[in-house]
Amino acid sequence: MVGIVKYNMAKISGKVVSVLAKRGPGSGGTYPGHIFTKIGGQESISKLASDLKIGSVLITGTNGKTTTTTLLIKLMSNDIQIRKSYENNILNSIATALLTQKGDMGIFEYGIRNLTYGIPDTVQKLIDPIGVVYTTISQEHTQVAGIKNPFEDYYKAKKLLSEGMQRGAIVTNADDPRTALIGLNKASDVNINYYGIEVDNVEDIGGEDIECPKCGQPLSYSKHFLNHRGVYTCQCGFKRPEPDVKLVNAEFNTDSWKLTIEGDLFNYTTSQNVKFNVVLSVPPFGFHNIYNTLASITAYATFTPKVENIESTVKEIFNNLDMSFIPPGRFEVVDIGGKYVGLGQGDNGDAIKINAMFMNQFVDGPLEFIYTTPDENEEEIFNDHFEVVKSMNPAHVIVVPGRKSIEKAKEYYEIIKKEYPDAEFYPLSYDEMGVRIEKLTELARDSDYDYVIMTGCGEEQAMWEEIKKKMINR
Ligand SMILES: [Zn+2]
């Protein structure tokens, strides 16, 4: 227990700092939370979190965290006042939001890379969330701060965020075997609300089969929706759970998509079952955003205290959605005078594949691939990336180091060159970010091709967002 004097002092200090501190994107930054924790100790965050009348919802996963959080914030803010934090997804940014904002519910993005640098079980204890929302779990950067990060540890860290929960609900993707298993394992402690796709016209041709997260045998898939997400079963008895919220119809047109979503689920805040059915008209935002849409709607319907609003709020938010909900640096396709350039972050195999699928909606002629490589010790990421490069059948390939090591990038380039003999290499340094951004912008803008995809590794805000701004401004 934290002494009340110490707690109040921490609270006052944190608030003073928040007035002085410059606010960062997505939240009030992290500094007030840092000061608060320094004075009051980490355990004082629990007391702060318990001020929330309804409670906190944490969003995690490999890809789609920020987008799902952004959409959930839009939905929930329509009904009630909330405290929120996204993009800066560490504990101090959650503490900052708790300290400096008002509202009965907290909606916080929380990213966990591994066990050494993340403290998921501690965060669970301190925040005592009423909800944890999982997007998807796939192989990410295989090294963190120079140390190899095995996938098992990464997966375990994601599990730990909800493992200690004794109240509330978990919202999780039924189509992803890894996130589905997290739900199945916690079904006796808390409510589990699954979301998934149940239409026939979303089918991923080159989907990835993975091993059963429960027993390690190969899963058998009857359908692939997006990479390893689909309809699967295992000999051990593990299989895809029935989604509580599902996409039941989809019509894809070039200028808009019509999505029908049905829900029948338990609302935790009011302790009652709710049903809804909505037909939404959204921008053609890519298949991965169907999952972000489902995750945010499921979380919203699970936690809103105003269940009578569900259908009207969901329609209000999604029928008025434009592409500005995409977080900075993420992949977008821009039309620069008849030339289509798809550009943005694709740090892992799952993300780059999604980018490629999104780009393919626009490609109608020879394509140039400008590929930004991973770093040393990231051969697995390179292998996943290279499969995607090849699947797009590019007419020309340009290779640029996406991370620090130019030497390693050159090695990756040599491998690519065997398949694409006229591939070019630009050894742009990470240290001279300005030069690098200028050159990458020029390569895409002055390309001889009408269709250019530029993706791979690179800093989201410092690099991709800057290039996007330059590209769009001209
Ligand atoms: Zn199994």
Side-chain angles (χ1 to χ4, degrees):
M1 280 306 282
V2 190
I4 192 77
V5 174
K6 197 176 169 194
Y7 173 75
N8 283 335
M9 195 147 100
K11 214 168 159 178
I12 290 163
S13 309
K15 282 197 170 164
V16 167
V17 168
S18 80
V19 175
L20 303 173
K22 194 170 172 286
R23 302 288 166 97
S27 64
T30 61
Y31 197 55
H34 174 74
I35 294 298
F36 172 81
T37 313
K38 212 169 164 182
I39 295 172
Q42 217 172 39
E43 62 275 28
S44 56
I45 295 175
S46 304
K47 191 163 170 10
L48 205 54
S50 65
D51 281 353
L52 294 166
K53 274 198 202 104
I54 301 176
S56 298
V57 177
L58 303 175
I59 296 96
T60 197
T62 306
N63 296 316
K65 287 187 291 293
T66 310
T67 309
T68 299
T69 309
T70 307
L71 292 170
L72 177 56
I73 288 170
K74 278 179 193 280
L75 290 162
M76 202 64 84
S77 302
N78 210 59
D79 291 359
I80 53 166
Q81 194 179 20
I82 56 166
R83 306 185 208 190
K84 54 188 186 280
S85 151
Y86 55 101
E87 290 234 279
N88 279 328
N89 47 29
I90 59 170
L91 184 57
N92 279 338
S93 56
I94 299 177
T96 301
L98 284 168
L99 191 64
T100 60
Q101 302 173 14
K102 287 194 174 71
D104 293 337
M105 188 188 291
I107 295 180
F108 307 121
E109 177 182 352
Y110 183 65
I112 316 151
R113 276 248 164 121
N114 65 1
L115 289 169
T116 319
Y117 289 87
I119 39 167
D121 40 351
T122 308
V123 170
Q124 190 277 320
K125 278 191 209 95
L126 294 176
I127 304 293
D128 189 20
I130 55 163
V132 172
V133 180
Y134 288 97
T135 57
T136 181
I137 297 176
S138 50
Q139 177 106 286
E140 208 182 7
H141 267 271
T142 43
Q143 72 163 13
V144 176
I147 299 158
K148 272 270 185 190
N149 179 28
F151 181 71
E152 297 74 52
D153 289 0
Y154 174 78
Y155 184 32
K156 191 177 165 202
K158 299 275 180 202
K159 274 191 254 189
L160 280 176
L161 188 64
S162 61
E163 206 161 80
M165 281 172 84
Q166 291 303 325
R167 60 162 190 166
I170 293 174
V171 170
T172 195
N173 191 334
D175 300 347
D176 180 339
R178 293 161 183 151
T179 57
L181 182 62
I182 293 176
L184 290 167
N185 285 344
K186 285 295 290 174
S188 55
D189 300 325
V190 296
N191 292 289
I192 315 292
N193 285 336
Y194 296 98
Y195 57 90
I197 290 179
E198 293 219 329
V199 297
D200 293 323
N201 53 346
V202 175
E203 181 99 40
D204 181 349
I205 312 293
E208 176 198 2
D209 290 7
I210 60 167
E211 286 168 357
C212 173
K214 196 172 176 184
C215 74
Q217 296 183 81
L219 287 174
S220 68
Y221 282 83
S222 61
K223 248 182 203 173
H224 272 292
F225 296 129
L226 194 55
N227 284 342
H228 67 283
R229 278 147 286 185
V231 179
Y232 50 84
T233 55
C234 179
Q235 287 174 358
C236 75
F238 172 64
K239 61 175 204 269
R240 173 187 182 254
E242 176 68 19
D244 303 288
V245 173
K246 47 199 168 189
L247 177 74
V248 293
N249 194 49
E251 287 171 34
F252 303 115
N253 300 304
T254 46
D255 54 347
S256 84
W257 288 2
K258 204 166 123 189
L259 308 177
T260 308
I261 296 169
E262 249 175 42
D264 182 353
L265 78 172
F266 181 75
N267 176 279
Y268 173 76
T269 311
T270 64
S271 300
Q272 60 177 298
N273 253 73
V274 289
K275 284 187 187 182
F276 63 89
N277 186 309
V278 285
V279 181
L280 308 173
S281 173
V282 298
F285 54 25
F287 293 131
H288 59 299
N289 279 316
I290 292 179
Y291 277 119
N292 297 331
T293 297
L294 289 169
S296 65
I297 292 175
T298 310
Y300 163 67
T302 303
F303 299 108
T304 180
K306 299 195 176 164
V307 291
E308 66 283 4
N309 285 7
I310 293 175
E311 288 190 355
S312 61
T313 298
V314 169
K315 281 189 220 159
E316 164 75 23
I317 299 302
F318 282 93
N319 288 338
N320 292 299
L321 201 65
D322 61 41
M323 291 302 279
S324 64
F325 76 99
I326 304 278
R330 303 319 196 284
F331 193 82
E332 264 181 90
V333 178
V334 295
D335 178 354
I336 51 165
K339 181 191 285 201
Y340 287 93
V341 180
L343 74 163
Q345 188 257 111
D347 268 357
N348 51 63
D350 196 48
I352 203 171
K353 168 102 181 266
I354 286 163
N355 297 350
M357 284 170 75
F358 194 15
M359 184 71 200
N360 274 337
Q361 297 182 97
F362 299 87
V363 177
D364 191 22
L367 168 90
E368 181 168 67
F369 204 124
I370 304 175
Y371 169 53
T372 54
T373 67
D375 216 333
E376 283 170 17
N377 294 321
E378 295 191 320
E379 290 80 6
E380 294 98 330
I381 303 287
F382 171 75
N383 292 338
D384 289 352
H385 276 171
F386 193 31
E387 285 309 308
V388 172
V389 172
K390 287 188 279 191
S391 77
M392 292 204 78
N393 197 21
H396 187 238
V397 180
I398 292 176
V399 180
V400 176
R403 296 272 170 201
K404 292 221 156 99
S405 174
I406 296 178
E407 275 311 299
K408 193 67 198 179
K410 189 137 196 289
E411 273 178 42
Y412 294 137
Y413 163 68
E414 295 298 337
I415 299 170
I416 292 171
K417 221 180 152 195
K418 283 184 195 141
E419 206 95 15
Y420 300 94
D422 65 346
E424 290 176 77
F425 182 62
Y426 289 85
L428 299 172
S429 150
Y430 211 76
D431 300 327
E432 291 172 63
M433 197 56 94
V435 177
R436 175 191 178 78
I437 286 170
E438 204 53 57
K439 187 66 189 175
L440 284 168
T441 310
E442 187 191 305
L443 284 172
R445 198 180 48 224
D446 303 340
S447 168
D448 294 335
Y449 296 85
D450 287 338
Y451 304 95
V452 181
I453 180 168
M454 181 158 73
T455 187
C457 295
E459 284 301 309
E460 264 154 36
Q461 311 244 356
M463 187 176 118
W464 291 118
E465 187 58 20
E466 289 307 308
I467 299 172
K468 272 207 290 196
K469 275 189 198 149
K470 277 181 179 285
M471 197 76 69
I472 294 162
N473 286 346
R474 289 184 199 238

